[in-house]
Amino acid sequence: KKLSIGILLSGLFSVIFGAWVLFKNAHIGFYMVHNFSQPAKDLGFFITISCIFYTFILSALFIIGGIGIFVLKTWGRKLVLFCLLIEVLIRIIGIITFLYSSLTIRQRPVISAGAHIFRVSRIPNYIILLIEIVILYYLTRPKVKELFSS
């Protein structure tokens, strides 16, 4: 069987995205695992477990699923679909939370003298969300599903 460009890009995105999330968030995940009781007390048990899951488990599943896509395994496609559904849900919740908090802030925050101020763009989140939705759509097409089942 021959890999199409779409399958190659889907697998590549999965592996690269999983590795990026792992390396970008590893220090936070290791801190939370090593000092579990403090983050659980400060942030709450659910958020602490979610952060650990997202950093280590989901990123590893993305990498494994991406490799499965490269070798056209059904489990690889299903694993990436599962990871993408979770990731899209997390990203949409994050965007809604950001928009809600942006619209409901009543008073301006007090900024300490000498504080470093920088702007944070949400545009990369929208771009990644769009890519994830396109890959979800692509991997659920009947002709693509057929390639993995044969």
Side-chain angles (χ1 to χ4, degrees):
K1 294 182 242 180
K2 187 178 174 189
L3 286 180
S4 70
I5 292 291
I7 291 173
L8 181 68
L9 290 176
S10 298
L12 198 58
F13 172 83
S14 299
V15 170
I16 290 172
F17 184 75
W20 176 68
V21 167
L22 181 62
F23 291 119
K24 182 180 78 122
N25 297 328
H27 66 286
I28 298 169
F30 282 124
Y31 171 79
M32 289 192 167
V33 168
H34 186 264
N35 305 302
F36 185 79
S37 61
Q38 189 61 42
K41 188 169 67 172
D42 294 343
L43 301 171
F45 181 77
F46 179 74
I47 291 176
T48 304
I49 293 295
S50 299
C51 186
I52 292 169
F53 170 79
Y54 182 76
T55 299
F56 297 116
I57 312 282
L58 193 63
S59 58
L61 292 177
F62 258 116
I63 294 168
I64 293 166
I67 292 168
I69 284 180
F70 285 133
V71 292
L72 295 174
K73 297 292 184 184
T74 303
W75 58 261
R77 182 183 145 276
K78 288 180 180 178
L79 190 56
V80 168
L81 287 172
F82 170 75
C83 291
L84 283 171
L85 286 173
I86 291 173
E87 176 65 26
V88 165
L89 183 66
I90 290 169
R91 202 164 293 280
I92 288 173
I93 289 170
I95 289 169
I96 290 170
T97 303
F98 176 78
L99 291 173
Y100 176 78
S101 63
S102 296
L103 296 173
T104 58
I105 291 177
R106 299 279 184 237
Q107 69 183 56
R108 300 184 78 108
V110 177
I111 300 171
S112 306
H116 297 284
I117 301 171
F118 59 94
R119 290 182 173 260
V120 176
S121 174
R122 298 295 295 176
I123 292 175
N125 277 319
Y126 303 135
I127 293 169
I128 293 171
L129 177 63
L130 180 64
I131 292 169
E132 291 168 345
I133 290 171
V134 166
I135 293 173
L136 263 172
Y137 175 79
Y138 176 76
L139 289 176
T140 56
R141 298 301 86 214
K143 287 185 179 182
V144 174
K145 284 169 67 173
E146 230 174 71
L147 288 171
F148 288 91
S149 61
S150 58

